[in-house]
Amino acid sequence: MMKRDECFRILARHIGDAAVVATYSSAVDWVTVAPRVLNYTSIGAMGLDSSHGLGLALGRPDKRVVVLQGDGSLLMNLGSLVTIGEVAPKNLVHLVAHNETYEANGGHPIPNPKVDFAGLARAAGYAAVYDFADLGVFAQQVAHLLEQEGPVFATLRVEPSRPLTYDYESLYDPAKRKAFKTAWRA
Amino acid sequence: MQAAPAKALNGASIIAALKTSGIEYVLSVPDIVTSAGLLTPIARDQELKLIRVCKEDECIGIAAGLAYSAKRALILIQHTGFLDSINAVRGIAAEYAQPICMMIGLLQHDPEFAPRASNRYGVRIVEPILDAMGIAHHLIDVDADVAKIRPAIDTAYREQHPVAFLVGRSPS
């Protein structure tokens, strides 16, 4: 079992100029590790992270898009796996932090905590699918994962984290949305 | 005395208006009102890119991502799917002020009545909900209404706000 913030520290070393779509606990950890203008954290409705990511990937096929989604979020939008599998954007990397809980909403368990997200993504038609539970293996493969032809999916099996502070004013700051748009269109 | 001409709505005119509005992507879950007259020809169209999604709220996120990328999209759904997507519309389209353009088929609506006067509860509440959310909306009922589409889409993208087109009559 890994820690989400440790995974993200490793990911941040390789992220380059990719857009990173993240929400809730994943967003809190990501913006702490990698505060950058190309972070997209205004999702508006739980579960739609993967759909925003698909739109960004279609809109800028010349750039990379990385979605950092929680397991509870993906469960709210499981159909997006099928949509992404069908559309098959080559520049989309979809990482799901599987900590088996709705961490931002009190730490309650998700339905069927042992659900096989990687298996679902494979069945939905993702081009490449991974399932990481070991930080060393993730560190070894993350660069390849970010570079290969997508859509790429990976489950990150992580522990529930320490209590987080959710600064939604900052995550949903309109000025950050505006800055993202300018940078993304450049 | 001549009979009044039959009211009609031409799907090809709507598709032409979408193209002149700069719409590049159509995001859709099938809707029986617009199925034959819009979705089927759009699926065959060489210029428009159709993305078939599993559930209507996906469209809201995808359209936002496209808008950030300077790409225009139309969401083509049924009013039941719009109702199911209210939270996404609230968060992304309304609160984040994104140019989310929706074309909404009014299922089982009798086009001889205004939507607010529909005998279908689900149809009757659509316009009041849009009003409560502060979302501009236009009824696309007859061919003359097609002229509303381009200016409304241009305004939505220029002023960064959502817009809804309500289709109560099946386009031919």
Side-chain angles (χ1 to χ4, degrees):
Chain A
M1 195 71 88
M2 306 180 291
K3 289 183 167 35
R4 187 178 53 228
D5 58 346
E6 290 179 352
C7 291
F8 288 177
R9 279 192 196 92
I10 292 167
L11 176 68
R13 293 180 207 144
H14 302 274
I15 201 65
D17 66 351
V20 174
V21 180
T23 47
Y24 301 110
S25 304
S26 291
V28 171
D29 274 350
W30 177 254
V31 301
T32 302
V33 167
R36 50 203 284 283
V37 73
L38 283 171
N39 291 342
Y40 182 108
T41 57
S42 290
I43 303 305
M46 186 170 173
L48 289 185
D49 358 18
S50 45
S51 299
H52 285 273
L54 174 56
L56 292 170
L58 287 170
R60 288 301 305 261
D62 56 321
K63 294 196 171 194
R64 211 75 176 161
V65 178
V66 177
V67 175
L68 304 178
Q69 191 166 34
D71 45 9
S73 281
L74 178 55
L75 286 175
M76 286 197 179
N77 195 6
L78 267 182
S80 68
L81 290 177
V82 176
T83 304
I84 291 169
E86 162 72 10
V87 177
K90 294 178 179 177
N91 56 334
L92 182 66
V93 178
H94 187 179
L95 307 181
V96 171
H98 188 177
N99 63 9
E100 305 183 7
T101 68
Y102 290 105
E103 197 171 270
N105 292 312
H108 303 280
I110 61 171
N112 188 2
K114 301 303 178 190
V115 61
D116 177 9
F117 288 110
L120 292 172
R122 187 176 294 110
Y126 277 63
V129 175
Y130 298 84
D131 195 335
F132 295 107
D134 182 278
L135 194 65
V137 175
F138 178 68
Q140 187 184 45
Q141 298 199 22
V142 66
H144 173 64
L145 183 140
L146 289 174
E147 289 169 5
Q148 74 182 113
E149 196 167 282
V152 176
F153 182 93
T155 296
L156 308 177
R157 294 181 184 268
V158 298
E159 302 170 1
S161 70
R162 67 196 184 285
L164 297 172
T165 300
Y166 295 88
D167 183 357
Y168 291 120
E169 291 294 319
S170 174
L171 290 174
Y172 304 159
D173 183 356
K176 289 182 177 170
R177 289 202 291 275
K178 188 174 179 184
F180 173 89
K181 184 161 71 175
T182 302
W184 185 241
R185 289 182 175 187
Chain B
M1 186 174 176
Q2 287 186 316
K7 292 179 180 174
L9 184 59
N10 183 266
S13 301
I14 295 174
I15 292 170
L18 296 175
K19 290 181 180 178
T20 59
S21 306
I23 295 294
E24 185 175 341
Y25 286 88
V26 176
L27 318 172
S28 185
V29 175
D31 152 51
I32 195 62
V33 176
T34 56
S35 168
L38 288 178
L39 184 54
T40 297
I42 284 169
R44 295 185 186 130
D45 194 277
Q46 297 296 308
E47 296 172 48
L48 297 169
K49 296 166 187 164
L50 173 63
I51 307 290
R52 301 181 194 274
V53 308
C54 300
K55 197 156 169 288
E56 289 84 353
D57 58 351
E58 288 179 64
C59 300
I60 314 298
I62 297 168
L66 286 165
Y68 276 101
S69 312
K71 302 284 187 184
R72 292 189 177 192
L74 179 84
I75 294 168
L76 182 61
I77 55 176
Q78 194 161 277
H79 83 266
T80 50
F82 164 73
L83 294 174
D84 196 51
S85 305
I86 288 291
N87 187 49
V89 176
R90 182 276 310 163
I92 298 165
E95 290 199 62
Y96 295 165
Q98 293 298 309
I100 303 299
C101 301
M102 299 170 279
M103 188 163 279
I104 301 168
L106 302 176
L107 176 67
Q108 297 181 326
H109 173 57
D110 180 347
E112 296 309 311
F113 295 90
R116 284 175 200 269
S118 173
N119 60 3
R120 297 285 176 179
Y121 171 78
V123 171
R124 210 160 57 232
I125 64 174
V126 170
E127 287 183 326
I129 288 171
L130 289 165
D131 288 339
M133 298 178 83
I135 295 175
H137 54 89
H138 307 275
L139 184 62
I140 307 299
D141 185 48
V142 293
D143 283 333
D145 295 328
V146 174
K148 302 173 187 172
I149 293 174
R150 181 177 178 180
I153 290 175
D154 282 344
T155 302
Y157 279 90
R158 186 177 62 250
E159 299 180 2
Q160 296 287 289
H161 64 62
V163 65
F165 303 104
L166 306 180
V167 181
R169 182 186 309 278
S170 289
S172 58

